[in-house]
Amino acid sequence: MPPTNRQQRGHPLHVPDQLDHDRSKSPSPASSSEPEDPHPVLIPFQMEPNIMGLYCVYPTRPTLAPEGNLTLERVTDAPTLDSDQAAAHGVHPGLSMPEISARHLFDGFSNHTSGVLMAWHYLGTNSNSGVDVNRLAGFLSSDPRCSLTHLSGFNFTCKMKLLDKYIEDKSNPFREEYGWHQSTITGVHHHSLTDIITHVFESDVSQSFNMMPFDQFWTTPDHQTVRVFGEAYASPALMEAYEEINALPLDPGDNLERVVASLMVWSDATHLANFGDASLWLFYVYFSNQSKYT
């Protein structure tokens, strides 16, 4: 997507004296008869100020600038608000994987009640206490799918072997065909970050990514210049990373744009059912190349 008309009215800066953060400067090359390695030349490019007086300074002219297409409707698409652009927004699917619902939680066991009992075991302490027994009673009494007849002939060792067999079977939702890999930590499955980055950058959602970081400023009514921080791609850290990879030598015939895949990782607990406190700690990856308002 080429820059918008407003963005095309920007202009290159030969001396970016308004940038208020230090740029790393290459040392003067030592005299040598060998030619220097080719590397891209970055000429700073300043956008026109918007109606609020905000403007961006890119390290060079951007080939993709989603910031120039932001509107009020595009950042206020809550279901409680009326918006003509609501239909333009959609959920972008991630890596392909089977549909998993609550009914799949105990597929590894012979019946639902056995799965609940095993969940109680793993959620408890090493020594059963009154709290653990109360938790078990809550599990069994609050779930209409539990039945004492399911526990006839229950054997803990057999259930453990059944669960291990289910995990090893390729029919379970964590099979490698859907991008899952067994971690070095027993019981932990994960996706390859390289696979995630490749999949996302090859999808249409990447059109909303800021492939090039920028410095953002605001011109006050009394003509003062103030540095503005609002997004990860307008941070000094991402700018430094972008300049670092673009300072690397180019291979012969390499004219591809170099961009930084900016990842933010965090973890949080999620409940597995409407009863009890069974939960998992999931790790999430967010691409901060995309606006937090998207």
Side-chain angles (χ1 to χ4, degrees):
M1 181 180 69
T4 62
N5 291 335
R6 170 176 291 276
Q7 293 161 357
Q8 291 177 5
R9 290 199 295 270
H11 56 276
L13 298 178
H14 297 289
V15 183
D17 52 358
Q18 55 190 310
L19 302 184
D20 63 353
H21 75 276
D22 293 335
R23 290 279 194 260
S24 57
K25 298 182 179 180
S26 301
S28 300
S31 56
S32 173
S33 58
E34 297 181 0
E36 296 181 1
D37 292 329
H39 61 275
V41 177
L42 301 180
I43 301 176
F45 188 87
Q46 178 178 315
M47 297 297 190
E48 289 281 334
N50 62 19
I51 192 173
M52 300 298 296
L54 290 169
Y55 64 93
C56 305
V57 178
Y58 287 87
T60 189
R61 186 185 181 94
T63 57
L64 184 67
E67 284 286 309
N69 297 324
L70 286 181
T71 62
L72 181 61
E73 289 79 10
R74 292 187 64 84
V75 296
T76 55
D77 60 347
T80 55
L81 300 177
D82 291 332
S83 173
D84 296 335
Q85 308 237 353
H89 297 273
V91 176
H92 298 277
L95 298 178
S96 59
M97 63 180 299
E99 292 294 330
I100 302 176
S101 63
R103 65 185 179 86
H104 294 111
L105 294 179
F106 299 125
D107 281 355
F109 302 97
S110 57
N111 55 64
H112 185 83
T113 309
S114 297
V116 171
L117 190 60
M118 295 296 289
W120 167 80
H121 167 74
Y122 284 110
L123 288 172
T125 58
N126 293 332
S127 59
N128 292 333
S129 64
V131 174
D132 296 320
V133 176
N134 291 338
R135 183 185 295 112
L136 175 60
F139 278 8
L140 298 178
S141 62
S142 62
D143 190 347
R145 291 170 294 179
C146 289
S147 173
L148 293 180
T149 59
H150 293 164
L151 299 180
S152 177
F154 178 89
N155 183 280
F156 177 80
T157 302
C158 291
K159 300 302 179 185
M160 285 289 296
K161 292 181 178 179
L162 190 64
L163 180 59
D164 291 339
K165 182 179 179 180
Y166 173 77
I167 294 176
E168 294 174 358
D169 188 6
K170 292 297 184 180
S171 65
N172 75 78
F174 295 101
R175 55 187 179 272
E176 292 184 3
E177 285 81 353
Y178 287 95
W180 292 101
H181 303 278
Q182 172 67 54
S183 173
T184 54
I185 303 175
T186 304
V188 176
H189 294 77
H190 65 91
H191 276 288
S192 165
L193 285 179
T194 304
D195 291 345
I196 294 175
I197 294 172
T198 302
H199 175 85
V200 171
F201 272 78
E202 289 180 347
S203 68
D204 293 339
V205 71
S206 63
Q207 294 297 310
S208 64
F209 281 15
N210 287 269
M211 300 297 185
M212 186 181 299
F214 55 77
D215 296 314
Q216 191 170 45
F217 301 92
W218 173 51
T219 301
T220 65
D222 58 349
H223 306 292
Q224 299 292 322
T225 300
V226 179
R227 179 73 182 275
V228 177
F229 298 95
E231 299 277 6
Y233 46 79
S235 65
L238 197 58
M239 181 67 77
E240 292 173 4
Y242 181 85
E243 292 177 341
E244 180 179 350
I245 64 172
N246 279 278
L248 298 175
L250 291 174
D251 293 329
D254 181 7
N255 57 358
L256 296 177
E257 182 179 4
R258 298 180 178 185
V259 301
V260 177
S262 179
L263 303 181
M264 300 174 66
V265 183
W266 72 97
S267 179
D268 195 6
T270 181
H271 286 287
L272 298 179
N274 293 327
F275 59 90
D277 55 359
S279 63
L280 284 177
W281 280 90
L282 302 179
F283 287 86
Y284 304 90
V285 174
Y286 172 76
F287 284 84
S288 52
N289 300 82
Q290 188 180 57
S291 173
K292 58 188 176 186
Y293 299 110
T294 301

